[in-house]
Amino acid sequence: MLETVLWMTALAGVGGTGAGGILTCGLQRDGERTISLLLSFAAGVMLAVVCGDLLTDALSQRSGVFGLGLTVGGVLMGYGLIGLLNRITAREQPEQRKGLFWAGVVMAAAIALHNLPEGMVIGASFARGTGTGGLAMAVVIGLHNIPEGMAITVPLVSGGMGRFRAAGLAAAAGAPTILGAALGYGLGMLGPVWLALALSFAAGAMLYVVFGELLPESTALWQSEAPALAAVAGILTGLCITAL
């Protein structure tokens, strides 16, 4: 059973982000405008997943003021860690930071971080005997990992990295999902406090990437209503994914 869970999780994690990277490599891009739209759309999808999936699940683990405080604390920790990583590495690579390359690196790191608790949720769902619930969760995570893989690959390629190397990095960002699934399955029933912290931490990391990297870069590339519309389309797509 565990082997089946790990294979399904690998398809959702590595397969999802890898598919997004490969799709990006095949796109015929017409410069910065297309990049702007892709970044905005991916940001919208992830914002919907954060608000409609990760944060709601975190809040549902504990009710009342304690549950709210736990979720807020987790979000702040995730946001702060990615922000700190951004500042430290930006000092070491000031020239790359000026372009989109660093946005892709930060995105890959954030996705790798938040894929761990997502994998734990998949593994725990199967361990509880709810095979259908685990399968549905794997499908949802795999779907929303596709635009995440695109969001990793586009800035990396624009920053000078080879397309297939960037796609490989996108696929690698999904690998922690497998480890998370093994942990979740082994624990069986996850403690609500730790699960809430993991989900809210992941949400905070993603919020930093969306508001601190993707959307500012997108609007800087193309100052138009189109990137905003692409973000709205991404949010609606993300809501459809989380509602499956």
Side-chain angles (χ1 to χ4, degrees), residues 16-244:
T17 54
I22 293 173
L23 287 173
T24 303
C25 291
L27 290 176
Q28 295 297 324
R29 298 178 294 125
D30 59 350
E32 296 181 344
R33 291 188 174 186
T34 300
I35 298 173
S36 174
L37 294 178
L38 288 173
L39 293 174
S40 294
F41 180 80
V45 172
M46 286 181 288
L47 184 60
V49 171
V50 166
C51 296
D53 186 12
L54 296 181
L55 289 180
T56 55
D57 283 351
L59 287 170
S60 69
Q61 303 303 315
R62 287 283 181 174
S63 60
V65 177
F66 176 73
L68 179 60
L70 194 66
T71 301
V72 171
V75 170
L76 292 177
M77 285 190 294
Y79 189 97
L81 179 61
I82 299 303
L84 180 62
L85 176 65
N86 183 9
R87 291 177 64 88
I88 292 175
T89 314
R91 295 174 184 174
E92 299 176 357
Q93 298 175 333
E95 294 183 0
Q96 290 179 334
R97 185 61 185 86
K98 295 179 181 179
L100 286 171
F101 179 88
W102 176 239
V105 174
V106 172
M107 170 61 76
I111 289 176
L113 283 173
H114 101 273
N115 275 340
L116 181 65
E118 284 187 355
M120 294 174 69
V121 173
I122 297 176
S125 298
F126 280 105
R128 293 168 184 166
T130 56
T132 303
L135 177 61
M137 182 60 66
V139 171
V140 170
I141 290 175
L143 287 175
H144 94 258
N145 276 351
I146 293 177
E148 288 180 354
M150 296 173 67
I152 293 173
T153 307
V154 168
L156 287 177
V157 172
S158 301
M161 181 178 286
R163 291 193 174 196
F164 293 102
R165 184 180 177 186
L169 181 59
T177 311
I178 304 174
L179 176 60
L183 292 174
Y185 187 85
L187 292 173
M189 186 66 71
L190 294 176
V193 172
W194 292 105
L195 183 56
L197 278 175
L199 293 172
S200 56
F201 181 91
M206 296 309 300
L207 287 175
Y208 180 89
V209 173
V210 169
F211 291 111
E213 294 291 339
L214 294 184
L215 291 180
E217 292 287 358
S218 175
T219 55
L221 287 171
W222 189 10
Q223 296 187 6
S224 168
E225 295 82 3
L229 182 60
V232 172
I235 291 175
L236 296 177
T237 301
L239 289 176
C240 292
I241 293 174
T242 57
L244 290 176

Side-chain angles (χ1 to χ4, degrees), residues 7-19:
W7 275 109
M8 294 182 65
T9 307
L11 288 175
V14 179
T17 54

